[in-house]
Amino acid sequence: MPAKINKVVIPAAGLGTRFLPATKAQPKEMLPLVDKPAIQYVVEEAVGAGLTDILIITGRGKRTIEDHFDRSFELEYYLERSGKIEDLEEVRSIAQLGEIHYLRQGEPLGLGHAVLAAKRHVNSKPFAVMLADDIMDEGSKTLNEMLTVFGKYGRSVVALMEVSENEISSYGAVGVSPISKNLFSIRSVVEKPLPNEAPSCFAIMGRYIFTPEIFDALEKITPGRNGEIQLTDAIGSLIEQQEVIGYVLNTKRYDVGNKSDYLRATIEIALKREDLGDSMRTVLRQLAQEQALLNPQSNDLNVLNLPQSAPGSDRVND
Ligand code: G1P
């Protein structure tokens, strides 16, 4: 029976250039989805799967991530004094999410380099890696299921999703042979392939369980795509010595490093919220009507297929 995993590494040292100017002076991981920073969704997902020893790999300009997961006595004092007890409890609970450690990457030399920085903390045990740009649907059991697969095979497990031919060049692509319905043995990998280089349309999503041998692989490889030390290349080296399993996601996932997916995630999360769902549906319906008036040929209203909201609920909440 393989060792139980409780460590997770969350690389958060990237510069966030796709979101400039918003990320000029704040980490992209702190951009909110509705009212919660993206990285908090990822930390909550980790804790929900029992991964309570969390190492966040940071870099310069990322200090607000540490502040966010720390106590904030001044704010707590103010909330307590003004009787905002629900807010107070929420603010306090964030500081109690797991045991969070931080390590600075120094130079941003790539995702593989960030994971390698965790070697000493991980200490030769299997561990998980979660990318903060990939947000899973709330309540997703992805990590639990990947941990179960690891428990059965004792081998590294990588989350996969089938994407279109146009999209595959944005991801790590893998060549696979089937094991069972949603499990595959990974045979080859290419980071961000050109269209004719992709071994299949199976793309790596940002959830991984690794055996500690990934560190030997990371130490061995040379810079790859964009001159960076790529985690995908280390997976390519690892499959030469032990099997790596691909687990196909069965949940919705958002790439919040991509602007339109970020906006979509924000809207979908708001639609599911009790305090915002109705007003958000009203906003969307109004927008769809405006769009339909502007572009009478388009079928926007039909496409949105929005249910009617309850009477009197068309005021937008703050
Ligand atoms: C990273 C990985 C890539 C993976 C992707 C998933 O790329 O390098 O293999 O498919 O995350 O989101 P990034 O999106 O950081 O460029």
Side-chain angles (χ1 to χ4, degrees):
M1 181 89 178
K4 196 170 164 343
I5 299 181
N6 74 337
K7 285 191 178 164
V8 58
V9 176
I10 304 179
L15 297 175
T17 48
R18 284 192 285 178
F19 265 92
L20 282 169
T23 49
K24 186 180 171 207
Q26 72 170 328
K28 64 171 175 167
E29 296 78 10
M30 289 298 292
L31 293 177
L33 295 164
V34 185
D35 49 13
K36 204 196 277 188
I39 196 164
Q40 190 181 330
Y41 288 90
V42 177
V43 167
E44 286 174 352
E45 185 193 340
V47 173
L51 303 173
T52 50
D53 180 328
I54 300 159
L55 176 65
I56 303 183
I57 310 291
T58 66
R60 270 181 291 283
K62 302 277 184 171
R63 222 172 283 159
T64 51
I65 298 180
E66 295 182 40
D67 291 341
H68 183 72
F69 291 108
D70 199 356
R71 295 290 298 270
S72 173
F73 292 111
E74 200 179 324
L75 180 62
E76 288 174 29
Y77 170 76
Y78 164 77
L79 292 173
E80 192 159 19
R81 223 185 47 175
S82 30
K84 298 190 166 167
I85 302 306
E86 252 178 57
D87 289 337
L88 176 67
E89 280 165 7
E90 176 156 24
V91 161
R92 277 197 183 139
S93 70
I94 299 169
Q96 286 157 5
L97 282 168
E99 180 196 317
I100 308 188
H101 309 266
Y102 300 89
L103 190 69
R104 279 196 176 213
Q105 189 185 359
E107 279 178 280
L109 298 181
L111 178 59
H113 183 255
V115 173
L116 184 55
K119 182 178 176 184
R120 187 193 284 248
H121 181 87
V122 165
N123 193 18
S124 306
K125 303 244 172 53
F127 66 105
V129 171
M130 297 169 77
L131 305 190
D133 275 352
D134 289 83
I135 303 288
M136 300 296 159
D137 210 8
E138 214 192 338
S140 147
K141 291 277 164 270
T142 299
L143 272 179
N144 300 74
E145 285 162 14
M146 289 174 72
L147 289 165
T148 306
V149 174
F150 173 79
K152 182 166 171 200
Y153 293 88
R155 289 293 178 235
S156 299
V157 187
V158 175
L160 301 178
M161 186 186 262
E162 215 166 355
V163 300
S164 70
E165 271 178 41
N166 298 336
E167 291 170 311
I168 194 70
S169 58
S170 307
Y171 295 99
V174 300
V176 293
S177 58
I179 299 177
S180 63
K181 195 170 136 258
N182 59 350
L183 294 186
F184 292 85
S185 184
I186 295 184
R187 298 292 183 205
S188 61
V189 294
V190 190
E191 176 67 8
K192 311 226 164 72
L194 300 171
N196 59 347
E197 283 176 349
S200 78
C201 279
F202 277 116
I204 299 178
M205 298 294 126
R207 300 290 180 272
Y208 313 77
I209 311 286
F210 285 120
T211 58
E213 285 79 13
I214 192 71
F215 291 118
D216 304 331
L218 281 166
E219 277 165 349
K220 224 172 5 179
I221 57 168
T222 49
R225 185 73 67 203
N226 299 332
E228 294 178 350
I229 303 287
Q230 295 290 353
L231 185 57
T232 303
D233 294 343
I235 296 170
S237 168
L238 185 61
I239 55 179
E240 286 168 16
Q241 49 162 312
Q242 55 180 230
E243 186 170 36
V244 174
I245 296 169
Y247 163 85
V248 180
L249 290 183
N250 62 5
T251 189
K252 206 169 215 176
R253 160 262 179 202
Y254 305 97
D255 172 8
V256 296
N258 165 303
K259 283 178 199 161
S260 56
D261 229 20
Y262 171 82
L263 293 170
R264 187 191 174 102
T266 307
I267 293 167
E268 288 201 18
I269 291 170
L271 284 170
K272 281 188 210 148
R273 287 250 307 240
E274 234 173 70
D275 59 336
L276 285 171
D278 280 348
S279 56
M280 201 60 208
R281 271 181 282 279
T282 305
V283 168
L284 290 179
R285 202 174 308 106
Q286 286 167 351
L287 281 176
Q289 275 159 359
E290 281 166 27
Q291 289 300 311
L293 285 176
L294 288 173
N295 310 298
Q297 311 304 348
S298 91
N299 242 350
D300 284 354
L301 276 171
N302 298 341
V303 172
L304 273 169
N305 194 19
L306 293 165
Q308 291 296 314
S309 63
S313 66
D314 51 357
R315 199 174 56 84
V316 180
N317 290 344
D318 179 12

